[in-house]
């Protein structure tokens, strides 16, 4: 068993999707910039979301799979974000209203990450439903986070 290096998070299992809607999900990551938990996940709230993950012992992920969708409508037709892993820009995404946007994003991780993984979403144009005249909700929404998964092509047999 991995010695916990952070008293606030449990090691995250490999090849298992963790739903942001699950009240137990937060034991696997520290987060900043996410709104309250809802049955479908959590909205980003503001211009940045940060997640700190710790892969379980024997897990050597090469990919981070994120199930996210943008906050879009006719009056706010595009959402973009830069994605950083351990302070390195690894992906830029841009999604548009009315397009067949991907549901899952596969983010390549640095080779054989086995320690803490810091993921940062820099949302370029979050906007509130209030600013769009939709509701009184003043949160600056960018992306809906549904699930996260550390994908590893190789997992040490000792953890299976």
């Amino acid at each position: 068993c991995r010695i916990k290096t952070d008293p606030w998070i449990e090691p995250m299992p490999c090849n298992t999707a963790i739903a942001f809607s699950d009240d137990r999900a937060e034991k696997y990551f520290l987060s900043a910039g996410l709104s309250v938990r809802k049955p479908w996940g959590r909205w980003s709230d503001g211009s940045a979301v940060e997640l700190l993950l710790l892969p379980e012992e024997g897990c050597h992920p090469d990919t981070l799979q994120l199930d996210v969708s943008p906050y879009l409508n006719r009056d706010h037709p595009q959402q973009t974000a830069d994605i950083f892993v351990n302070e390195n820009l690894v992906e830029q995404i841009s999604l548009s209203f009315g397009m067949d946007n991907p549901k899952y994003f596969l983010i390549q991780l640095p080779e054989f990450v086995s320690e803490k993984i810091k993921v940062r979403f820099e949302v370029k144009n979050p906007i509130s439903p209030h600013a769009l005249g939709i509701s009184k909700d003043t949160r600056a929404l960018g992306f809906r986070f549904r699930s996260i998964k550390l994908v590893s092509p190789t997992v040490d047999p000792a953890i299976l």
Side-chain angles (χ1 to χ4, degrees):
C1 177
R2 176 189 291 271
I3 297 171
K4 288 176 63 174
T5 57
D6 193 306
W8 304 107
I9 56 176
E10 295 286 331
M12 188 171 179
C14 258
N15 301 317
T16 301
I18 306 297
F20 282 89
S21 60
D22 187 337
D23 61 353
R24 297 165 297 176
E26 291 172 353
K27 73 180 183 180
Y28 294 118
F29 54 81
L30 293 176
S31 66
L34 291 175
S35 191
V36 298
R37 188 175 37 256
K38 298 286 185 179
W40 42 256
R42 296 174 73 179
W43 279 112
S44 62
D45 186 2
S47 61
V49 171
E50 291 188 359
L51 302 169
L52 182 63
L53 316 167
L54 179 65
E56 69 183 346
E57 186 175 0
C59 174
H60 305 288
D62 65 356
T63 306
L64 177 69
Q65 178 182 298
L66 289 168
D67 178 355
V68 298
S69 59
Y71 180 68
L72 299 172
N73 71 23
R74 282 182 173 73
D75 295 324
H76 186 66
Q78 188 169 29
Q79 189 58 266
T80 59
D82 292 340
I83 304 171
F84 295 80
V85 174
N86 295 344
E87 303 303 330
N88 297 304
L89 178 64
V90 294
E91 187 81 32
Q92 295 176 307
I93 60 174
S94 183
L95 304 170
S96 299
F97 180 74
M99 302 300 291
D100 187 18
N101 293 310
K103 180 178 177 182
Y104 293 102
F105 291 90
L106 300 174
I107 311 301
Q108 294 301 305
L109 297 174
E111 190 170 332
F112 295 110
V113 172
S114 61
E115 295 299 320
K116 289 182 185 178
I117 301 169
K118 181 181 177 185
V119 181
R120 186 174 75 245
F121 256 69
E122 290 186 359
V123 182
K124 299 300 180 183
N125 50 346
I127 193 165
S128 71
H130 182 270
L132 294 170
I134 296 171
S135 75
K136 293 181 180 183
D137 187 348
T138 59
R139 293 173 298 159
L141 306 179
F143 289 87
R144 179 184 336 193
F145 286 71
R146 289 189 191 98
S147 70
I148 186 169
K149 177 167 52 171
L150 292 174
V151 179
S152 177
T154 59
V155 178
D156 291 349
I159 67 168
L160 296 178

